[in-house]
């Protein structure tokens, strides 16, 4: 029986996991796809580096085209990362009629549509389950499992680093800086954590989810992004008092054919399924018109979990090869892109302000909201020790982003306001 | 463009949901499968019954063979329930080369292998996603999403009625009987709740999950079953004090090639993802060797959620029709069935006993455990008011089922024991 030959671009954390799973689970692969699977060639940066797997040095190469142009290789697994150069490699590999499996969210978020089009033209598969939420098979669930439903909302905890930091801040009451340092020491945060803590990593994943879930070409630039670097322990502690949990949430929302995609620290009621997703775990909550609430939970990163998603995609390619139907599963977007404007985006808000301890201060604030027909769900007012100020924390009922932003700028001008300390979106309260 | 024609056996809660989704989501179906989908004929018991959907009376029939033998019908959707007669209908339909989508867990648990074999011979698809956990696409996730992994454990809250009852008992401190009555009034429990509360419904789903997840022909008879009718509010309240949540859990566990499948009320640590699955919701927790912990959460029943799973299966059939690859996705079991014996099944246990208030009582009990090398994780002892007895609640460390059952029978003979009140398995503590 002829073995299927696989080439790898990259042999880092995920790449080593892929090699290990292909070796360890050879019996299952044999059973499912009917023939052995063999790693034929691997692009690396350093031939002599010590690695987490034993791999024949003969298989390694420094030249990507030794992998891309190898006639024996049927499937190319891209786990090297990077965008521009990697895109060229994959397009060239598609010209060589290689099927592609990639874990590269940066690339798919930026150039997924172009790559998919090229692959479909050449009757090649291009799968990328591992690019979103590591080991959670969320993309398949959106495309196949919920194929018959109309998905109207997705909320994702899709970045493990920030979820780890916020979980620890919430449990220990420590500051962002302390926990970040600890996370870096434990390997849960990169030494350069910017793309995680500023929300860009999550934004990429949300763009990919929105594209599939809403069948609409959402670009990375359409995602509004705010990270967690400004989240204070006070914000978290007040949220808790009011029955809410702070998470970095990717929101993709659709109504009347228009979509909104954003990433921001937001508050969820403690009883919401996403509120219990802790530490480095990821989860994607999906609301479908017919199915209602579902949630998919699991490890969002890590060598073996991510590699599982890569190799499961590989199995998909191999099954298609056996049936002779590669390159025919991608579906073009059903809808033209239409994005919501600020007056069409509705949410509840958490607002924390310091006001001067004067008669009528709260009345002036309340007036700004009631002029726009916005009432409050909860208010907390406390004196600030040693200062002639009070702390006011408000959870509003639903307001449009436009109204809320206008109120914010007017608040700054009120004489009773000392400082607007923070504001967050509040989600999952059933007020949608 | 020629429409694909679908026949339905049954037009109850799920059947009406199927008709509604096919109508409402026609644009999405068109986009995904490339042609319209039309309901051609529907088997009903009563032609004149008022139904939750408007359907042309002309489409209804009292004769199953008007649907089964209709040459125009490509796909048969079975949502009538029942086992023996229904099996004959489906086998006959397969002989007529009809693809089958069914939501019938009773049938699949009892005769799934036979039906799948018949379908594969005739190059017909037979899909049954809706038979387990309603709207949660768990079967696809096991087969495709986690295709490359070796699944070693599944724990499921797969019965909504019992989860509703246990959640309410836990929140309100009420008795089983009170909550069952309330659940029946609210429509969360059947007027004859036996198959739910005795665990049989969950056992059927666990047999189906184990078959797919372990690639082994597990039969319904292999599943040991205990229901929730004996769970007392005291058991729940002591569990809570010790940091545990009571759930009806289906467990499918595999190690060294041997499997164990069971359904029983069991305790989970409050921090376990399944512990937060409340009310009528379902969830399946899957532990894969490589991926680690994942969980799939959603509505386990209901007209539209279950119908979503049915129609998503239908989409799978239609995609296969377009590609000409029907009947080729079923994979025969990889492993021969091997079941664990009691000395190979390990778990922690919760044990609640009433002992006579005598010196050395606890020592006698402890001795029985330590003889077999079993120690305790937690002990709670309280005097029982007005009686010369004490209540002892113990959480053991891991013990084999054989050892624990022997200890139980020896406990009954101890003179210091007044009564063994209850015992439960404790799962999810990372002690596996």
């Amino acid at each position: 029986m002829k073995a299927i030959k696989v080439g790898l671009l990259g042999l880092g954390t995920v790449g080593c996991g892929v090699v290990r799973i292909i070796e360890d689970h050879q019996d299952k692969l044999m059973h499912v796809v009917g023939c052995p699977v063999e790693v034929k060639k691997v692009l690396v940066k350093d031939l002599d580096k010590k690695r987490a797997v034993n791999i024949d040095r003969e298989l390694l190469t420094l030249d990507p085209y030794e992998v891309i142009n190898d006639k024996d290789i049927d499937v190319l697994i891209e786990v090297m990362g990077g965008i521009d150069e990697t895109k060229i490699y994959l397009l060239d590999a598609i010209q060589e009629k290689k099927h592609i499996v990639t874990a590269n969210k940066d690339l798919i978020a930026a150039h997924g549509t172009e790559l998919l089009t090229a692959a479909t033209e050449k009757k090649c598969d291009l799968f990328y389950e591992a690019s979103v939420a590591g080991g959670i098979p969320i993309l398949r669930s959106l495309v196949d499992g919920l194929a018959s439903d109309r998905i109207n909302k997705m909320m994702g905890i899709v970045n493990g680093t920030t979820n780890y930091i916020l979980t620890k801040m919430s449990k220990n009451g420590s500051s962002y800086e302390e926990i970040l340092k600890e996370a870096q020491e434990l390997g849960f945060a990169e030494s350069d954590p910017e793309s995680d803590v500023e929300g860009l990593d999550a934004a990429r994943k949300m763009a990919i989810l929105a594209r599939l879930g809403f069948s609409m070409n959402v670009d990375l630039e359409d995602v509004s992004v705010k990270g967690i670097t400004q989240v204070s322990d006070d914000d978290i502690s007040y949220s808790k008092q009011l029955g809410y949990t702070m998470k970095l949430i990717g929101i993709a929302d659709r109504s009347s054919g228009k979509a909104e995609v954003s990433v921001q620290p937001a508050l969820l009621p403690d009883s919401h399924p996403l509120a219990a997703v802790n530490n480095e775990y990821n989860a994607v909550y999906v609301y479908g018109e017919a199915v209602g609430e579902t949630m998919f939970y699991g490890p969002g990163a890590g060598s073996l979990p991510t590699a599982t998603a890569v190799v499961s995609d590989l199995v998909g390619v191999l099954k298609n090869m056996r049936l002779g139907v590669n390159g025919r599963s991608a579906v073009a977007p059903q809808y033209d892109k239409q994005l919501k404007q600020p007056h069409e985006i509705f949410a509840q808000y958490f607002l924390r302000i310091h006001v001067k301890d004067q008669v009528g201060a709260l009345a002036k604030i309340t007036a700004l909201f009631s002029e726009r027909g916005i009432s409050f769900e909860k208010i907390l007012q406390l004196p600030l020790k040693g200062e002639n100020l009070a702390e006011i924390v408000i959870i509003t009922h639903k307001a449009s982003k436009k109204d809320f932003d206008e109120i914010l700028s007017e608040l700054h001008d009120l004489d009773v306001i000392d400082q607007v300390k923070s504001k967050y979106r509040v989600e999952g309260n059933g007020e949608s």
Side-chain angles (χ1 to χ4, degrees), chain A:
Chain A
M1 201 174 349
K2 201 169 153 267
I4 299 274
K5 304 271 197 314
V6 170
L8 261 79
L9 301 182
L11 192 59
T13 313
V14 178
C16 286
V18 169
V19 170
R20 211 165 114 191
I21 290 182
I22 290 177
E23 276 173 12
D24 283 3
H25 293 194
Q26 196 61 232
D27 62 329
K28 181 160 182 183
L29 292 173
M30 272 288 283
H31 183 76
V32 174
V33 302
C35 64
V37 178
E38 195 184 303
V39 174
K40 169 91 193 290
K41 209 88 204 161
V42 182
L43 171 71
V44 294
K45 277 194 223 144
D46 175 354
L47 294 172
D48 300 307
K49 190 177 155 187
K50 216 174 136 49
R51 300 176 194 281
V53 285
N54 286 323
I55 190 159
D56 187 350
R57 203 180 177 290
E58 288 293 297
L59 302 184
L60 305 183
T61 174
L62 298 170
D63 175 5
Y65 286 90
E66 270 202 45
V67 190
I68 293 165
N69 292 333
D70 187 322
K71 298 284 177 213
D72 282 352
I73 289 178
D74 304 289
V75 188
L76 192 71
I77 294 177
E78 187 272 300
V79 282
M80 63 186 281
I83 300 185
D84 296 335
E85 199 182 26
T86 314
K87 180 183 137 191
I88 295 168
Y89 294 162
L90 295 195
L91 287 173
D92 288 345
I94 289 167
Q95 293 310 310
E96 295 293 316
K97 296 222 53 165
K98 309 231 177 299
H99 307 295
I100 310 283
V101 174
T102 174
N104 191 331
K105 62 192 163 290
D106 306 21
L107 178 61
I108 294 295
H111 304 294
T113 309
E114 183 184 348
L115 287 162
L116 275 169
T117 307
T120 304
E121 269 173 20
K122 285 283 174 183
K123 294 211 171 71
C124 289
D125 285 327
L126 188 155
F127 293 156
Y128 49 96
E129 179 67 72
S131 67
V132 179
I136 311 174
I138 178 65
L139 303 188
R140 280 166 200 275
S141 295
L142 289 180
V143 172
D144 295 328
L146 302 173
S148 67
D149 204 0
R150 206 173 285 125
I151 292 164
N152 287 334
K153 186 152 196 168
M154 291 175 281
M155 292 203 285
I157 296 177
V158 288
N159 179 275
T161 302
T162 47
N163 201 44
Y164 178 88
I165 293 173
L166 291 177
T167 304
K168 293 294 172 195
M169 284 177 74
S170 174
K171 293 224 163 123
N172 310 350
S174 320
S175 74
Y176 167 76
E177 289 76 16
E178 286 172 281
I179 303 287
L180 173 62
K181 195 158 163 282
E182 190 190 304
Q184 285 171 322
E185 284 161 12
L186 290 167
F188 286 119
E190 307 278 343
S191 54
D192 175 6
E194 192 188 332
S195 127
D196 291 317
V197 299
E198 297 293 358
L200 182 60
D201 175 82
R204 287 172 173 144
K205 292 163 180 169
M206 290 312 297
I208 297 172
L209 283 175
R211 232 178 260 168
L212 282 177
F214 298 161
S215 198
M216 189 187 279
N217 259 334
V218 175
D219 293 310
L220 184 55
E221 296 71 44
D222 303 324
V223 185
S224 78
V225 187
K226 195 181 154 200
I228 65 163
T229 56
Q230 302 305 315
V231 173
S232 74
D233 34 354
D234 281 348
D235 293 333
I236 291 182
S237 120
Y238 283 120
S239 307
K240 267 194 198 174
Q241 285 182 51
L242 296 169
Y244 288 92
T245 303
M246 173 94 69
K247 296 284 179 193
L248 183 74
I249 301 284
I251 298 171
D253 189 279
R254 173 170 60 172
S255 51
S256 313
K258 292 186 174 183
E260 180 235 337
V261 189
S262 62
V263 168
Q264 62 272 297
L267 306 190
L268 295 164
D270 291 342
S271 60
H272 194 279
L274 284 174
V277 176
N278 287 323
N279 300 316
E280 74 279 18
Y281 277 88
N282 282 17
V284 181
Y285 167 97
V286 178
Y287 188 87
E289 206 172 279
V291 78
E293 299 189 293
T294 60
M295 189 177 80
F296 303 85
Y297 168 99
S303 172
L304 289 178
T306 311
T308 304
V310 169
V311 184
S312 293
D313 270 354
L314 172 63
V315 169
V317 173
L318 302 181
K319 281 183 179 173
N320 283 347
M321 285 174 69
R322 203 187 54 186
L323 300 172
V325 296
N326 296 98
R328 297 178 64 180
S329 54
V331 174
Q334 186 178 356
Y335 303 105
D336 289 335
K337 182 167 79 182
Q338 286 200 65
L339 299 174
K340 288 190 190 184
Q341 300 309 309
H343 69 279
E344 297 167 307
I345 300 172
F346 288 86
Q348 290 184 264
Y349 287 95
F350 166 105
L351 178 67
R352 181 160 74 90
I353 38 187
H354 285 181
V355 300
K356 292 172 193 155
D357 204 353
Q358 294 174 359
V359 175
L362 186 57
K364 286 190 183 170
I365 297 163
T366 316
L368 286 184
F369 283 89
S370 55
E371 278 166 22
R372 288 173 178 82
I374 301 161
S375 54
F376 298 160
E377 179 191 290
K378 282 179 183 168
I379 303 184
L380 190 69
Q381 175 167 347
L382 299 161
L384 280 169
K385 268 185 211 157
E387 301 174 66
N388 200 18
L389 295 173
E391 179 127 60
I392 295 185
V393 183
I394 294 167
I395 306 253
T396 72
H397 282 297
K398 283 239 157 159
S400 78
K401 187 172 187 317
K402 179 170 176 287
D403 279 345
F404 188 74
D405 286 347
E406 284 173 8
I407 290 172
L408 270 187
S409 77
E410 289 173 26
L411 273 175
H412 285 285
D413 299 336
L414 276 193
D415 57 350
V416 298
I417 298 284
D418 180 69
Q419 205 184 348
V420 175
K421 297 295 287 182
S422 57
K423 59 154 183 109
Y424 298 100
R425 215 162 136 161
V426 176
E427 283 288 333
N429 237 335
E431 276 209 15
S432 49

